[in-house]
Amino acid sequence: MMLSRAKPAVGADLQQSDRRKKKGRKIPKLEELLVQRDFTGAITLLEFQRQAGEGDEDSDLWIGYCAFHLGDYKRALEEFTFVSKQEACNPDVWVNLACTYFFLGMYKESEEAAVKAPKSRLQNRLLFHLAHKFNDEKKLMTYHQSLQDITEDQLSLASIHYMRSHYQEAIDIYKRILLDNREFLALNVYVALCYYKLDYYDVSQEVLAVYLQQVPDSTIALNLKACNHFRLYNGKAAEAELKSLMDNSSSSFEFAKELIRHNLVVFRGGEGALQVLPPLVDVIPEARLNLVIYYLRQDDVQEAYSLIKDLEPSTPQEYILKGVVNAALGQEMGSRDHLKIAQQFFQLVGGSASECDTIPGRQCMASCFFLLRQFEDVLIYLNSVKSYFYNEDTFNFNYAQAKAASGNYKEAEEMGQFYYSAKAFDVLERLDPSPDYWEGKRGACVGIFQMILAGREPKETLREVLHLLRSTGSTQVEYIVRILKKWGKENRVPV
């Protein structure tokens, strides 16, 4: 038989233990939460105090401050706007309001609020960035001169260097700060981003690894790692790096979701571009450029042009892409004006001190001279970078055209890339029906046939060879076509 107890054996002790724990538990102070950067906890505490009538006159300011640091700029704007309308409001609200407007992309409103704020280092830094946004060089230099040799001001200067494509200058500042502040781990991400922009993807990975060892779930760092993998390997490898981010729905920053969706379109070769990119055109600067690239790949030059025609280029990538679009439109419409604009854009990039020794810079100079029909100069620049594009179809095609146009027909064929040589000669022959171009095309087509016989070129290429040959009016065409068709039938190749 089971005996009943007069008192519980365990429950009483547990209840007493719980009471002791509750009695000893303290409500955290606002200062503690801010030091821990627990902005969600800070907002919860402030809202509780406000509802209980225990808040002070700066509670609204602090709620706005916490919302800002959580990336909830709309909430921060509501709080700061409310405070700014109060009589004898805290003057600090104006610089906070200005910073919030800035992060919302409302630069005019940001400047109007900033000038109402008391003079401070934060106000100067903000006006410095606004001058950059407004392309006001005079104001930019004025605020630049007011920057001091303190960490916050130097970080601000480094960011302006980055946005003006002065990546090495930004790296120098970040490394100098890191020497004295090893605990500033996030600066490794900034350095890695600069190396990424300089095309040093392997170096970027090494620097980024320092940060990821300490913060393995960082959205920005993992996204940059994925971009490096895309450049070093392929889109599949890049997408694999983003898998953990896609599975994680608790990202702190909303913009990261848009950034990841944008990058996935790039990693997947443009898949889903028309669904994802248009809404992001005014949110992520690269979205417009990638949408232009998508339209170019679809041979929709008019759409590409309408999207980029009003863009004032400020980076090498924007100048290059605007040049490519104008070149494509000029060739499609037979417009010398567009071709001239393209040539000028290519020359600007290729001749600039920061780009003249880069691969894109040399490609730009090659494109510039190509449009000027100075093919010997084209070859100087293409020869300097050809080792990087050995298996690149477009490069080989352009290289063969330049060789042929400069009279190096034999070299154009001896590249071993007869397919690209044949297409190059075909383009030149249509522009100028010279017997020399026909001879070059004929030799290249025969070269392709030899490659097919040797098993070094797909048999299906024969159909395109026949198409290229039939576009020529020479009496020799029928004889060559007859031989190729006979072989095709014997080997069951559709022609």
Side-chain angles (χ1 to χ4, degrees), residues 215-231:
V215 193
D217 60 346
S218 165
T219 301
I220 297 299
L222 287 172
N223 180 68
L224 178 54
K225 185 180 179 183
C227 292
N228 278 323
H229 274 248
F230 177 67
R231 297 295 187 180

Side-chain angles (χ1 to χ4, degrees), residues 283-310:
V283 179
I284 300 173
E286 290 81 3
R288 181 183 298 273
L289 307 184
N290 284 315
L291 190 55
V292 169
I293 292 169
Y294 172 81
Y295 283 130
L296 286 175
R297 287 176 174 169
Q298 301 300 312
D299 292 325
D300 195 342
V301 181
Q302 290 291 345
E303 277 294 333
Y305 179 70
S306 65
L307 198 59
I308 206 171
K309 65 179 180 180
D310 296 325

